[in-house]
Each structure stands twice: as C-alpha cells, then as structure tokens.
C-alpha cells in the first residue's frame, strides 16, 4: 500500500500542529507507523490522500452510526446552509432537538446543548456540585470523560494509550476533588461514601465503558450505583457521550433499565457535527442559568448547522428502529471470527478484541493485554484495508452502512492477520 502523500502531509503537519494531529490518539503513537490522511468518506468506507480505500470501524470515534455522507444528514445540512450557519439566538430547531432528546431518553426532562462531550461532562459536574453543595466527584479508573481538568485522573482513551497516568498542567487541588475507583466494584463505592461522608456530589460513569476498550457493566453493578448514590443524596451521572443512541435508541440507560439523575451526550447526537448535551431531572436542570444560579454558556451552542445534522440523525433513528436489531445481528457475525486466546467484549455495535486470554472487566484486566501484539494485528489489518482504532484501549464501531460484503472481507482479513 503506497501512502507517500500521507507521509508527506504528516511531516508538514508535525511542523505546524503538536504531534501533527488535533487529538492525540490520531497520531498512531501506540501502534507505530504514521497515520493515513483521510480525504473522503462514503458509507462504510474511507479513502486516504493516496487513494487507498479502507473499511472504516472508527466512524469518527463513534458519531457516524449511519456511516459517512448519509443522505438524510446531507439534506438537512444543505437546507440549513440556505438560511445561515449561526445566529447566537434561539431557533425553532433547537426546541425540536431538545424535544427529540427528551423523548428518546426519559430521564432527561430538560436539556442544554453544548459543542462537545467534554463540555457536557464539565457542565454536568458543575451542576452536580452546585445542586448538592458538595465538592467531591467519584469516577472510575479507565473511564474517559473528555479533557476536563478534574476528570483527567486515571482516565482511559488516549491517556491509556500514551501511558500518561496524569497530565501536566492540572493543579493538584483539582485532582484532590476526584476520587478514582475501580470499575465494576460496587463495594469500593460503598467504602468511598463511608470515608467521605456527606462530601460526594456525584458519581460519573460510562455505563458501558468504551474508553479502556469496550467493557460491559457486570450484572447488578449499575443498579448498585443507583442505589448507593440515592441513599447518600449524591447524583448519578451517566456519561453516555459514546453509548447514547449507540447501544440502544435510549442509550445504555434504556438497555439496562436504570434512571440516572443527569446524562451527558455527544458523538451520535451531532450526526458528525460538533454537538454535546447534558440534561436530566427538572429540579436539577432548573438550577442552570438563566433559570438558576449555576452558570454555563456557549457562543456556538445549538448552532443551526450542527443542530440540523443532529436532529436529522435522531429523527432518522426514531423512524428506523430496525437499525439497532440489524447492527446487533451484524456485529455478532463479525465477532464470530475471534480466535483462541483473544477476549472479545461487545455491547450492541461497539466492541473490542483484547489481546489477553482472561476476562476484561476493569482497567486492571484491560491493561493485561499484549499491546505489542495488538499493534502488529492493527498494522496487518490496515495493510488489508481495514481501518480500526489505533489503540488497544478503544472500541470499534459498526455502522448501519456496513454491508454483508464489508463484514465478509473484514472476517477474511482478520483470519489472515491473526494467523500472521
Ligand atoms: C468521547 C467521549 C467524551 C468526550 O467527548 P469530546 O466530544 O471528545 O469532547 C466524553 N465522554 C465519553 C464517554 C466519551 O466517549
């Protein structure tokens, strides 16, 4: 595979952009080699600057549930362009978008739109602190909630890959407001609430983790988080930036039947444009400015172009519930290719092959993976035109645009790559 144009672009990018990329994991540091520069996407396929074609299992890291350039989203964007891209004033479409979110996710009684998942989680923890009058937040090791200062403690995603336990530039005082506990361990949460009695504002969790690779909640775990937080007057925040409209139309909370107090969304709800959201109980969200005293704002929040794409996405998914059953069935086919000695974790259309034999239920067990072997597998797949996330600690995503033929080619490539 010739990637000379990408190589050339990457050299230039590294002069101008830190590491040559606008988000760390894109640089392929953990798998070696240089990243292809992407020129165009169509359905389930992407094409690089040298014209090489790949079947895409990254899907822009989650948003592209319908694949690239879905007609419903393109039509909505074209329509939006005829009226203007941003007003910084309320619009009818924002109200429709809020209604679509609240209808799909019943625990969200009121919602505020923002521009990214990071903004959503940052706002949600501020709201939780403002509402409860407490400072501490419990998070789980390997869960990633965006690059919010106080949440970059034992975070997953790019940080798991780079092996940065803690970033520089965050004051110790911020980290001191975060209690990091192992995922899937309800007893650790009980203990923390006993130790920090009356001081914990909220527990924030990826209800299905995507950012240490895909890790599902053990039976009873989410129920325990719900019960413990309620008992201690703390809020339960489901960070569904990845799982919202992905693992079910109503997100992980629908799939597992749990009602959190606050929910954060992003990725799929933007249809490929930058949209995030946070919302939840009416009594809590009523405290957000200007309705209440907790400040949060955004110049481009709810901008018409992004909202047009997001609303088109949510409307399309509502009109096509069969997409979720189809994704589930196709993901099963794909995941049947797993050989001995590899642990597959899958929830709906998100999954990870861990290069370890044992079960992966938390960050400790995820880290037992042989990342060097993953790197070789990754490169072998890329050479065969299969574009996976360039890190062991990320989830792969299937989209509704992936065809039976895509799956057949992927399974064949995986067989070759595993044996090589
Ligand atoms: C991607 C992600 C975020 C951050 O969203 P950005 O849009 O990258 O800021 C937060 N939480 C989870 C669970 C995510 O997967």
């Amino acid at each position: 595979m010739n990637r000379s144009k990408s190589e050339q672009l990457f050299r230039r990018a590294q002069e101008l952009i830190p590491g040559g990329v606008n988000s760390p994991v894109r640089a392929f540091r953990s798998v070696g080699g240089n990243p292809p520069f992407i020129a165009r996407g169509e359905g389930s396929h992407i094409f690089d600057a040298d014209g090489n074609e790949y079947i895409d299992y990254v899907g822009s890291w989650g948003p592209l549930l319908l694949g690239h350039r879905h007609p419903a989203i393109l039509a909505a964007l074209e329509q939006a362009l005829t009226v203007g891209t941003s007003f910084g004033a309320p619009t009818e479409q924002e109200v429709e978008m809020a209604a679509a979110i609240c209808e799909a996710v019943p625990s969200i009684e009121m919602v505020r739109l923002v521009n990214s998942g990071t903004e959503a989680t940052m706002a949600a923890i501020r709201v939780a602190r403002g509402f409860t009058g407490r400072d501490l937040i419990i998070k789980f090791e390997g869960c990633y909630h965006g690059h919010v200062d106080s949440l970059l403690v034992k975070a997953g995603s790019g940080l798991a890959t780079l092996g940065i336990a803690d970033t520089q530039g965050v004051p110790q005082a911020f980290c001191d407001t975060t209690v990091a506990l192992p995922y899937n361990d309800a007893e650790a949460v009980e203990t923390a609430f006993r130790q920090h009695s009356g001081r914990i504002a909220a527990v924030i969790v990826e209800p299905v983790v995507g950012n240490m690779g895909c890790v599902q909640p053990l039976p009873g775990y989410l129920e325990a988080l719900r019960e413990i937080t309620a008992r201690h007057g703390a809020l339960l925040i489901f960070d569904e930036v990845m799982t919202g409209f992905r693992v079910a139309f109503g997100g992980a909370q629908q799939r597992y039947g749990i009602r959190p107090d606050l929910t954060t969304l992003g990725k799929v709800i933007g249809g490929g444009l930058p949209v995030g959201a946070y919302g939840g109980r009416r009594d809590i969200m009523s405290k957000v400015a200007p309705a209440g005293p907790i400040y949060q704002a955004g110049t481009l929040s709810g901008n018409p172009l992004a909202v047009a794409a997001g609303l088109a996405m949510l409307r399309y998914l509502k009109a096509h519930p069969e997409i979720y059953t189809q994704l589930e069935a196709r993901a099963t086919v794909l995941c049947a290719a797993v050989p001995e000695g590899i642990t597959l974790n899958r929830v709906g259309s998100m999954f990870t092959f861990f290069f370890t034999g044992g079960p992966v239920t938390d960050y400790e067990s995820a880290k037992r993976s042989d990342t060097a072997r993953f790197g070789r597998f990754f490169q072998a797949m890329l050479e065969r035109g299969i574009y996976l996330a360039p890190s062991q600690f990320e989830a792969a995503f299937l989209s509704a645009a992936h065809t039976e033929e895509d799956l057949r080619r992927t399974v064949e490539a995986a067989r070759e790559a595993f044996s090589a």
Side-chain angles (χ1 to χ4, degrees):
M1 202 178 262
N2 174 17
R3 284 202 289 268
S4 55
K5 192 140 184 234
S6 282
E7 306 282 340
Q8 207 180 321
L9 283 167
F10 194 48
R11 274 195 299 277
R12 180 145 183 256
Q14 285 170 294
E15 301 281 315
L16 299 165
I17 306 172
V21 290
N22 282 313
S23 197
V25 76
R26 296 179 196 172
F28 279 38
R29 290 269 168 111
S30 74
V31 289
N34 294 336
F37 275 56
I38 305 306
R40 143 181 113 76
E42 190 67 52
S44 57
H45 291 224
I46 50 175
F47 302 81
D48 70 16
D50 294 279
N52 301 304
E53 183 172 356
Y54 308 86
I55 303 175
D56 179 16
Y57 290 97
V58 176
S60 189
W61 301 90
L64 301 185
L65 187 57
L66 299 178
H68 296 268
R69 301 188 76 249
H70 190 276
I73 291 172
L74 292 188
L77 283 171
E78 276 161 18
Q79 170 58 30
L81 284 174
T82 66
V83 295
T85 54
S86 192
F87 307 116
T91 62
E92 183 176 351
Q93 297 277 87
E94 287 173 298
V95 187
E96 295 299 326
M97 178 84 178
I101 291 172
C102 293
E103 190 195 328
V105 187
S107 75
I108 303 183
E109 296 166 347
M110 290 182 106
V111 64
R112 172 63 66 78
L113 297 184
V114 292
N115 304 291
S116 70
T118 296
E119 264 192 79
T121 57
M122 183 179 74
I125 64 170
R126 180 180 303 153
V127 169
R129 286 168 165 154
F131 182 80
T132 58
R134 304 172 180 179
D135 287 343
L136 300 186
I137 302 288
I138 290 181
K139 79 170 289 277
F140 299 101
E141 293 164 9
C143 284
Y144 177 69
H145 304 292
H147 61 98
V148 179
D149 278 340
S150 64
L151 297 178
L152 285 178
V153 176
K154 305 213 169 156
S157 195
L159 289 158
T161 312
L162 294 169
I164 300 174
D166 248 329
T167 174
Q168 293 192 1
V170 175
Q172 185 56 42
F174 292 13
C175 300
D176 293 344
T177 62
T178 307
V179 179
L181 303 175
Y183 185 76
N184 265 332
D185 180 351
E187 200 44 51
V189 180
E190 284 283 13
T191 307
F193 269 98
R194 264 199 307 276
Q195 276 169 353
H196 306 282
S197 179
R199 297 180 60 211
I200 296 168
V203 171
I204 185 167
V205 65
E206 289 184 71
V208 174
V209 191
N211 289 297
M212 49 177 143
C214 179
V215 176
Q216 53 267 69
L218 293 173
Y221 178 63
L222 297 175
E223 288 81 354
L225 294 183
R226 178 64 286 183
E227 192 276 317
I228 298 166
T229 46
R231 176 153 40 86
H232 289 273
L235 303 185
L236 179 60
I237 306 172
F238 269 14
D239 180 356
E240 298 231 41
V241 170
M242 188 182 289
T243 53
F245 298 90
R246 162 66 63 183
V247 299
F249 184 62
Q253 55 196 276
Q254 176 190 322
R255 201 173 169 113
Y256 295 96
I258 307 285
R259 196 179 170 99
D261 302 300
L262 290 173
T263 298
T264 55
L265 296 167
K267 299 196 169 116
V268 175
I269 64 161
L273 271 83
V275 182
Y278 67 98
R281 271 164 48 190
R282 183 175 301 279
D283 60 328
I284 300 171
M285 290 302 289
S286 301
K287 301 282 189 238
V288 175
I294 304 167
Y295 190 72
Q296 185 272 315
T299 301
L300 291 173
S301 293
N303 96 80
L305 203 58
V307 166
L311 191 54
M313 172 66 102
L314 300 193
R315 284 186 170 151
Y316 190 88
L317 292 174
K318 188 184 168 195
H320 297 274
E322 73 282 1
I323 280 179
Y324 292 97
T325 12
Q326 181 203 311
L327 281 170
E328 192 90 38
R330 297 221 161 137
T332 312
V333 173
L334 195 59
C335 292
V338 188
E340 282 291 307
I342 304 261
T343 299
L344 166 77
N345 278 2
R346 179 183 72 81
V347 176
S349 56
M350 57 188 268
F351 55 91
T352 300
F353 300 104
F354 288 99
F355 283 74
T356 173
V360 176
T361 57
D362 58 13
Y363 196 35
E364 270 313 300
S365 43
K367 280 194 299 189
R368 274 181 218 129
S369 300
D370 184 342
T371 51
R373 225 179 126 211
F374 172 84
R376 291 195 298 277
F377 173 71
F378 171 86
Q379 295 294 354
M381 291 296 271
L382 194 67
E383 275 306 308
R384 289 167 176 79
I386 312 294
Y387 187 84
L388 301 170
S391 159
Q392 172 71 91
F393 306 108
E394 299 286 355
F397 300 105
L398 201 62
S399 81
H402 285 87
T403 61
E404 306 273 345
E405 172 61 13
D406 288 332
L407 300 191
R408 200 192 54 69
R409 275 180 53 195
T410 306
V411 169
E412 192 180 293
R415 286 219 173 90
E416 289 174 21
F418 279 131
S419 56

